[in-house]
Amino acid sequence: MVDLSVKLGQLTLKNPIMPASGTFSEDLSEVLDLNKLGALVAKTITREVRTGNPTPRVCEVRGSMLNSIGIPSKGLAYFLENTLPFFRHYDSPFVASISAGTVDEFAKLCEDISVPGVAAIEVNISCPNIEEDGKAFAMRPSSTLAVMEKLRSATDLPLWAKLSPNTGETAEVAQAAEEGGADALVVANTLLSMAIDVRTRKPKLGNLMGGLSGPALKPITLRMTYQCAKAVSIPVIGCGGIANLEDILEYLIAGATAVQVGTSTFINPTIMTTLVDELAAYAEAEGLADLSSLIGSVRDGEAADQQFLEALS
Amino acid sequence: MVDLSVKLGQLTLKNPIMPASGTFSEDLSEVLDLNKLGALVAKTITREVRTGNPTPRVCEVRGSMLNSIGIPSKGLAYFLENTLPFFRHYDSPFVASISAGTVDEFAKLCEDISVPGVAAIEVNISCPNIEEDGKAFAMRPSSTLAVMEKLRSATDLPLWAKLSPNTGETAEVAQAAEEGGADALVVANTLLSMAIDVRTRKPKLGNLMGGLSGPALKPITLRMTYQCAKAVSIPVIGCGGIANLEDILEYLIAGATAVQVGTSTFINPTIMTTLVDELAAYAEAEGLADLSSLIGSVRDGEAADQQFLEALS
Amino acid sequence: MIHQDMDPASARPEAGLKAFEALCTVKSNTSANDDYRLLVLEAPKHILNCQPGQFFHLLCPVTDQQQPYLRRPMSIYRFDADKGELAFLYKVAGEGTAAMATLKPGELFNVLGPLGVGYTIKPEWQNLLLVARGVGLATLAPLAQEAARLGRKLTAICSARSEAALLSTEHFRSLGAQVISVTDEDGSSSVENLQTLIEGLIGSQGVDAFYTCGSNRLLKLLQELGAKHNIPGEIALEQQMACGLGMCQCCVRPFSQNGEVVHLRVCKEGPVFDLQEAMGW
Amino acid sequence: MIHQDMDPASARPEAGLKAFEALCTVKSNTSANDDYRLLVLEAPKHILNCQPGQFFHLLCPVTDQQQPYLRRPMSIYRFDADKGELAFLYKVAGEGTAAMATLKPGELFNVLGPLGVGYTIKPEWQNLLLVARGVGLATLAPLAQEAARLGRKLTAICSARSEAALLSTEHFRSLGAQVISVTDEDGSSSVENLQTLIEGLIGSQGVDAFYTCGSNRLLKLLQELGAKHNIPGEIALEQQMACGLGMCQCCVRPFSQNGEVVHLRVCKEGPVFDLQEAMGW
Ligand SMILES: Cc1cc2nc3c(=O)[nH]c(=O)nc-3n(C[C@H](O)[C@H](O)[C@H](O)COP(=O)(O)OP(=O)(O)OC[C@H]3O[C@@H](n4cnc5c(N)ncnc54)[C@H](O)[C@@H]3O)c2cc1C
Ligand SMILES: Cc1cc2nc3c(=O)[nH]c(=O)nc-3n(C[C@H](O)[C@H](O)[C@H](O)COP(=O)(O)OP(=O)(O)OC[C@H]3O[C@@H](n4cnc5c(N)ncnc54)[C@H](O)[C@@H]3O)c2cc1C
Ligand SMILES: Cc1cc2nc3c(=O)[nH]c(=O)nc-3n(C[C@H](O)[C@H](O)[C@H](O)COP(=O)(O)O)c2cc1C
Ligand SMILES: Cc1cc2nc3c(=O)[nH]c(=O)nc-3n(C[C@H](O)[C@H](O)[C@H](O)COP(=O)(O)O)c2cc1C
Ligand code: FES
Ligand code: FES
């Protein structure tokens, strides 16, 4: 048997495949065995109860989707009393995901959610920072650093910073998150997009704009994963558009230590466990003892055609 | 007959459909009648002769493509002696596209290319600004403003600023371009992406990363078009992933006055003229006298389900 | 890309699993009338433990012409565990259903289900009244079957644009239901006429529960009549879906429970809801 | 999405147009041997004004399993304007060619062409020597046909892994070519053996021009022999393509012209280039 386990700082996962926040819940236990997954990542919650964005909340775009779910949240109390106990029945590490509008609220929530049963905290810093201009924390290195430092001092649990593809400063934001004390980066969240129903001339999402996820996002978040893996020394968790084994291999080769699968679970709900099996079969067929020789193995010094380079010299 | 003409500042196009820079050249005259197009936009050139990036320069991603062509350029002299005279045979307005690494070089090239036969100059400010940190001019409002002001003083021809989807500050950059004197915005260029061949573990592009274009880009550039149309009062030219009539209608409804079609021409070389016909047929069927009632007609105040809003109130 | 014929791991029914991704084989896919098509599938037994009102989430095929991405929710029109058969009655509305219409006998079709909460028939509900329109009747067909199995009396008011567009009335009759057809064509489907009709039934034979789906007009009417005559009821509702499993929260609708507005997921708490809690739209 | 069967406006040949997007009908699509498949199309006459060595850019079908996006370049294997026939010999290499392999007789297939610059046969070239390997032979088949039409003497050295993998030798023979097969199996395809063989032909019957394609090893050998014996030649090259029309500049390769390196587009200045100007890889 190939050893698929990967280390994310102090945390060891039995395999590198886990769900992406917001595309997974208790409900998936009705279709597959959650213990087969490397980790279990909850939907982002806020401290207070929230309704989320108006419907329609999803729409389809060519081969992918947009969503403007927002963060409907039953709040921290419900999470501690219901969600957490549910996941205690599984041995895959359970990861909470949190969000807040200000640095202090964020840190306080982080502290209050640092309870037994939570193996790591994913901090969704792709949400708007209402103290500044409403731009997400992860849009800028400075706001990323500020929030991460405060979060770091609020918990001893591993902190995963979830970055946004909407920023123009991916590497700088990644470095700020590392400097602020992140144990790992999740790269990345959805990309702000839009679709219009030409018949009614209304935006297809009740919130006008929403986040792109699914296969269309992959080349972008794969590029970000590569940039982040080059820029920081903490592990990177690739996320965006994963739909098959090849996608996972691309992320690992680009430098990701683990991956999150989101939208594809909506299309094929059992895909994550299928992918675990396929990854094991691949590693076996390639004669790999574990995944270490795969992770970060991109041959980026040899991408260009030799003929082209020689002709120039 | 429906009047498909649109006004981009002082320039009137017979219809709003034109090619995107770098996806069109003299060669297309072998497959369709260029006079049917609203305008003809040349590949970006630099003053000096350049080879462009190493091969492989393109690859396929799920339902779209990446390119790292770079700006291979035969230079200004070749352009003035060969490209320009070729397009003089057509009555559709001819638009030059230019790029340079510094503000001064950019302005000088802009001045030198302001010759009869050039109806407008598209300035590809999505290219790296080598005077600062190598980030493209269009990544930041400040560098956008600086270069646009200088370009503005270098020519009396209409100036179209081509924005980048890589920035996190779309609206601010758009406003900076307008303030700097742009007559129109082209929204947008390609988005930095990556793909890896898992068999060889090499990046699929010789240049490691490249720009995403094609259908996957559309929800992103449509969102930018909407944001820009809201943020500025100069016309916006939508560009990104247009593959059919519905895509064009989405851009026009979102606020674009005209559109550019890029990658789709590689898939169906005659698509632009087909789309002109389809747009005319659509306008006719809808009983539109012209396109004015379509442009910017998005019902963005009514996107949310009434039931949802009422329940909240 | 995830493929239509990728073998879903959970096709093997495992302990504790409730919904299954399964590959079915198309038996037939024919037009039922001008507007609707009937897709009949050969389906594995373990996915056919269904309740009336539940739905499946369908992975529509990808072709040169149609490239649907998300699954499409579809009510169960007929299920038969013994025969290993599952059927959907659908209307070609857009890309996904257009792709469904291209399915040919022998082809594979990936379905996920059964999903959601179906209709209830309480022991004390002997006289059931079903009022539906158009494709909504599809959702109610398995209810009629279940009512027949339980020996309840069922009256079905079937509403349509025209006599020709009336669907499933034969099906309802064959299940022993009393069928009343109303159409726009002859004006008999008007709210006033329906109100008279239903109050007549309440008076003559008695009605213990209402069942309906989809139409705001019918919802309002039955809510009023239910409140007035103290008759409980259920309604099946629709909403855009992504996961179909309760995970993504895109399919919520507002309901009024004890004077408070709550948002419930159509795929999980529904698609069938209490008639009086539903909110008009 | 752009559809396979969208009617390409320029299917109507207009004045001055040279390349056409056209919908062809599949006549047959069968395996030619273990490695290669032969696709025969019914094609409109106006796209069949082809030169040997030119290619078409093919829009491969989209299915549940394969979703190719860009077109795929493929050399013309056979064209016949009178019969309205166009054929490609192809190897299933990846997504696009796998999708091509699913095409069934009667289906529509969108092709763009003819494209590029083909082989030249100068009037003074009487004895032609064609050396190719594997699918490369496909590119050279129309050349053999043209040579036959012009009454030139053609010798074809066909190289392959094994006797079984040898393709088209019958086709070449039927065109009156002298065919010499060499294989890896019996070692006859080695560079040394080829060199002896070709120098033998130069000595015995004389060679006025070389034609080859694809292989770096053959390129080097023929460049040396060409330089030594002052024999001109041409080579067909491949490169990743997007537009196929000369617009995108992705398909460039370096060539040495008068001591200078120039980058030429395989789709426009090629795919056939001067043998001595080509650079090894
Ligand atoms: C629980 C449930 C049961 C249903 N049962 C049936 C049935 O038995 N027969 C039938 O014909 N239709 C039924 N529908 C409606 C059916 O799901 C839609 O007609 C179908 O999804 C349209 O897809 P499309 O791609 O053809 O249309 P498009 O308009 O192209 O669809 C675009 C997107 O909108 C969604 N969408 C469009 N209309 C609806 C709708 N009414 N409800 C939910 N999502 C929608 C699609 O799923 C897709 O994601 C049901 C809907 C729900 C929620
Ligand atoms: C002018 C020309 C003529 C050709 N003639 C033939 C022929 O007659 N028969 C034949 O079997 N093959 C021929 N080829 C090669 C053929 O184009 C590729 O095998 C095919 O594109 C592979 O596509 P795929 O999707 O199956 O493979 P994938 O590897 O999945 O393709 C991925 C991408 O790489 C490109 N690509 C892959 N291999 C090549 C290649 N060798 N050359 C150019 N692009 C490539 C594809 O077009 C596609 O864009 C020719 C290539 C060129 C340039
Ligand atoms: C319906 C939906 C809801 C999401 N909700 C959250 C969320 O609550 N918190 C979060 O960090 N990311 C959320 N995401 C983003 C995903 O976690 C993931 O980053 C993104 O979808 C890209 O991955 P994918 O392409 O595999 O889906 C959501 C995505 C979707 C599609
Ligand atoms: C092969 C290729 C080359 C391009 N070259 C240029 C260029 O030289 N200058 C430029 O401004 N944009 C260039 N672009 C970007 C296009 O003009 C366009 O902005 C982008 O492709 C998005 O549109 P599309 O999705 O319709 O292709 C290029 C795009 C492609 C695919
Ligand atoms: S469709 Fe995802 S929660 Fe209902
Ligand atoms: S493929 Fe576009 S220039 Fe050759």
Short mmCIF file of all heavy atoms in Angstrom, two decimals, chain C residues 183-209:
data_model
loop_
_atom_site.label_atom_id
_atom_site.label_comp_id
_atom_site.label_asym_id
_atom_site.label_seq_id
_atom_site.Cartn_x
_atom_site.Cartn_y
_atom_site.Cartn_z
N THR C 183 -59.61 23.57 -17.73
CA THR C 183 -58.69 24.16 -18.72
C THR C 183 -58.88 25.67 -18.83
O THR C 183 -59.94 26.20 -18.49
CB THR C 183 -58.90 23.55 -20.12
OG1 THR C 183 -60.21 23.90 -20.56
CG2 THR C 183 -58.77 22.03 -20.12
N ASP C 184 -57.83 26.33 -19.31
CA ASP C 184 -57.91 27.78 -19.56
C ASP C 184 -58.83 28.01 -20.75
O ASP C 184 -59.54 29.02 -20.81
CB ASP C 184 -56.53 28.34 -19.91
CG ASP C 184 -55.50 28.06 -18.84
OD1 ASP C 184 -55.89 27.58 -17.75
OD2 ASP C 184 -54.30 28.32 -19.09
N GLU C 185 -58.71 27.07 -21.67
CA GLU C 185 -59.46 27.13 -22.92
C GLU C 185 -60.94 27.41 -22.68
O GLU C 185 -61.51 28.34 -23.26
CB GLU C 185 -59.33 25.75 -23.58
CG GLU C 185 -59.15 25.75 -25.07
CD GLU C 185 -58.82 24.32 -25.51
OE1 GLU C 185 -59.41 23.36 -24.94
OE2 GLU C 185 -57.98 24.17 -26.40
N ASP C 186 -61.55 26.60 -21.80
CA ASP C 186 -62.98 26.78 -21.55
C ASP C 186 -63.23 27.58 -20.26
O ASP C 186 -64.35 27.65 -19.76
CB ASP C 186 -63.70 25.42 -21.50
CG ASP C 186 -63.26 24.56 -20.31
OD1 ASP C 186 -62.53 25.10 -19.43
OD2 ASP C 186 -63.63 23.39 -20.26
N GLY C 187 -62.19 28.18 -19.71
CA GLY C 187 -62.35 29.06 -18.56
C GLY C 187 -62.55 28.34 -17.24
O GLY C 187 -62.59 28.97 -16.17
N SER C 188 -62.61 27.02 -17.25
CA SER C 188 -62.92 26.29 -16.02
C SER C 188 -61.77 26.29 -15.01
O SER C 188 -61.94 25.91 -13.86
CB SER C 188 -63.33 24.84 -16.35
OG SER C 188 -62.30 24.23 -17.12
N SER C 189 -60.56 26.74 -15.46
CA SER C 189 -59.42 26.72 -14.55
C SER C 189 -59.29 28.02 -13.74
O SER C 189 -58.34 28.21 -13.00
CB SER C 189 -58.13 26.49 -15.34
OG SER C 189 -57.91 27.59 -16.21
N SER C 190 -60.26 28.93 -13.89
CA SER C 190 -60.17 30.20 -13.16
C SER C 190 -60.23 29.95 -11.65
O SER C 190 -60.80 28.96 -11.18
CB SER C 190 -61.34 31.11 -13.56
OG SER C 190 -62.53 30.60 -13.01
N VAL C 191 -59.64 30.87 -10.89
CA VAL C 191 -59.60 30.73 -9.44
C VAL C 191 -61.01 30.63 -8.86
O VAL C 191 -61.28 29.80 -7.99
CB VAL C 191 -58.85 31.91 -8.80
CG1 VAL C 191 -58.95 31.84 -7.27
CG2 VAL C 191 -57.39 31.92 -9.22
N GLU C 192 -61.92 31.45 -9.39
CA GLU C 192 -63.28 31.45 -8.87
C GLU C 192 -63.92 30.08 -9.06
O GLU C 192 -64.55 29.52 -8.16
CB GLU C 192 -64.14 32.50 -9.58
CG GLU C 192 -63.61 33.92 -9.50
CD GLU C 192 -62.35 34.13 -10.34
OE1 GLU C 192 -62.34 33.71 -11.52
OE2 GLU C 192 -61.36 34.69 -9.81
N ASN C 193 -63.77 29.56 -10.28
CA ASN C 193 -64.36 28.26 -10.57
C ASN C 193 -63.77 27.17 -9.69
O ASN C 193 -64.47 26.30 -9.19
CB ASN C 193 -64.18 27.93 -12.05
CG ASN C 193 -65.05 26.76 -12.45
OD1 ASN C 193 -66.26 26.80 -12.20
ND2 ASN C 193 -64.46 25.72 -13.02
N LEU C 194 -62.43 27.23 -9.52
CA LEU C 194 -61.77 26.23 -8.69
C LEU C 194 -62.28 26.30 -7.26
O LEU C 194 -62.53 25.28 -6.62
CB LEU C 194 -60.25 26.44 -8.70
CG LEU C 194 -59.51 25.89 -9.93
CD1 LEU C 194 -58.04 26.26 -9.88
CD2 LEU C 194 -59.68 24.36 -10.00
N GLN C 195 -62.43 27.54 -6.78
CA GLN C 195 -62.91 27.72 -5.40
C GLN C 195 -64.28 27.07 -5.21
O GLN C 195 -64.50 26.30 -4.28
CB GLN C 195 -62.97 29.22 -5.10
CG GLN C 195 -63.74 29.52 -3.82
CD GLN C 195 -63.25 30.77 -3.14
OE1 GLN C 195 -62.46 31.53 -3.70
NE2 GLN C 195 -63.69 31.00 -1.92
N THR C 196 -65.16 27.34 -6.15
CA THR C 196 -66.50 26.74 -6.10
C THR C 196 -66.41 25.22 -6.12
O THR C 196 -67.04 24.51 -5.33
CB THR C 196 -67.32 27.20 -7.32
OG1 THR C 196 -67.11 28.60 -7.49
CG2 THR C 196 -68.79 26.90 -7.14
N LEU C 197 -65.59 24.74 -7.04
CA LEU C 197 -65.40 23.30 -7.23
C LEU C 197 -64.92 22.64 -5.95
O LEU C 197 -65.47 21.65 -5.47
CB LEU C 197 -64.36 23.13 -8.34
CG LEU C 197 -64.24 21.79 -9.04
CD1 LEU C 197 -65.54 21.44 -9.75
CD2 LEU C 197 -63.11 21.88 -10.08
N ILE C 198 -63.87 23.24 -5.35
CA ILE C 198 -63.25 22.63 -4.17
C ILE C 198 -64.19 22.72 -2.97
O ILE C 198 -64.36 21.75 -2.23
CB ILE C 198 -61.90 23.30 -3.86
CG1 ILE C 198 -60.92 23.04 -5.02
CG2 ILE C 198 -61.31 22.76 -2.55
CD1 ILE C 198 -59.65 23.84 -4.97
N GLU C 199 -64.86 23.87 -2.82
CA GLU C 199 -65.78 23.97 -1.69
C GLU C 199 -66.93 22.99 -1.86
O GLU C 199 -67.45 22.43 -0.88
CB GLU C 199 -66.26 25.42 -1.51
CG GLU C 199 -65.09 26.34 -1.15
CD GLU C 199 -65.47 27.56 -0.31
OE1 GLU C 199 -66.26 28.37 -0.81
OE2 GLU C 199 -64.98 27.67 0.84
N GLY C 200 -67.30 22.74 -3.10
CA GLY C 200 -68.30 21.73 -3.39
C GLY C 200 -67.85 20.37 -2.89
O GLY C 200 -68.59 19.64 -2.21
N LEU C 201 -66.61 20.03 -3.21
CA LEU C 201 -66.06 18.73 -2.79
C LEU C 201 -65.98 18.63 -1.27
O LEU C 201 -66.29 17.58 -0.69
CB LEU C 201 -64.65 18.53 -3.38
CG LEU C 201 -64.58 18.29 -4.90
CD1 LEU C 201 -63.13 18.33 -5.37
CD2 LEU C 201 -65.24 16.96 -5.27
N ILE C 202 -65.57 19.72 -0.64
CA ILE C 202 -65.47 19.73 0.82
C ILE C 202 -66.85 19.44 1.41
O ILE C 202 -66.99 18.64 2.32
CB ILE C 202 -64.93 21.09 1.34
CG1 ILE C 202 -63.50 21.31 0.85
CG2 ILE C 202 -65.00 21.17 2.87
CD1 ILE C 202 -62.93 22.69 1.12
N GLY C 203 -67.85 20.09 0.80
CA GLY C 203 -69.20 19.90 1.31
C GLY C 203 -69.74 18.50 1.02
O GLY C 203 -70.31 17.85 1.89
N SER C 204 -69.52 18.03 -0.20
CA SER C 204 -70.13 16.77 -0.60
C SER C 204 -69.41 15.55 -0.01
O SER C 204 -70.00 14.77 0.74
CB SER C 204 -70.16 16.65 -2.13
OG SER C 204 -68.83 16.68 -2.63
N GLN C 205 -68.12 15.40 -0.32
CA GLN C 205 -67.46 14.17 0.08
C GLN C 205 -66.47 14.35 1.22
O GLN C 205 -65.96 13.39 1.78
CB GLN C 205 -66.76 13.53 -1.12
CG GLN C 205 -65.71 14.45 -1.77
CD GLN C 205 -65.23 13.90 -3.11
OE1 GLN C 205 -66.03 13.50 -3.96
NE2 GLN C 205 -63.94 13.85 -3.30
N GLY C 206 -66.18 15.62 1.55
CA GLY C 206 -65.21 15.87 2.62
C GLY C 206 -63.79 15.78 2.09
O GLY C 206 -63.49 14.97 1.21
N VAL C 207 -62.92 16.69 2.56
CA VAL C 207 -61.50 16.67 2.16
C VAL C 207 -60.66 16.72 3.42
O VAL C 207 -60.84 17.62 4.26
CB VAL C 207 -61.17 17.88 1.24
CG1 VAL C 207 -59.68 17.96 0.99
CG2 VAL C 207 -61.92 17.78 -0.10
N ASP C 208 -59.74 15.77 3.60
CA ASP C 208 -58.89 15.74 4.79
C ASP C 208 -57.54 16.42 4.59
O ASP C 208 -56.89 16.80 5.55
CB ASP C 208 -58.65 14.28 5.22
CG ASP C 208 -59.96 13.61 5.61
OD1 ASP C 208 -60.84 14.30 6.17
OD2 ASP C 208 -60.10 12.40 5.34
N ALA C 209 -57.10 16.45 3.32
CA ALA C 209 -55.80 17.08 3.06
C ALA C 209 -55.71 17.54 1.62
O ALA C 209 -56.24 16.89 0.71
CB ALA C 209 -54.67 16.11 3.39
#
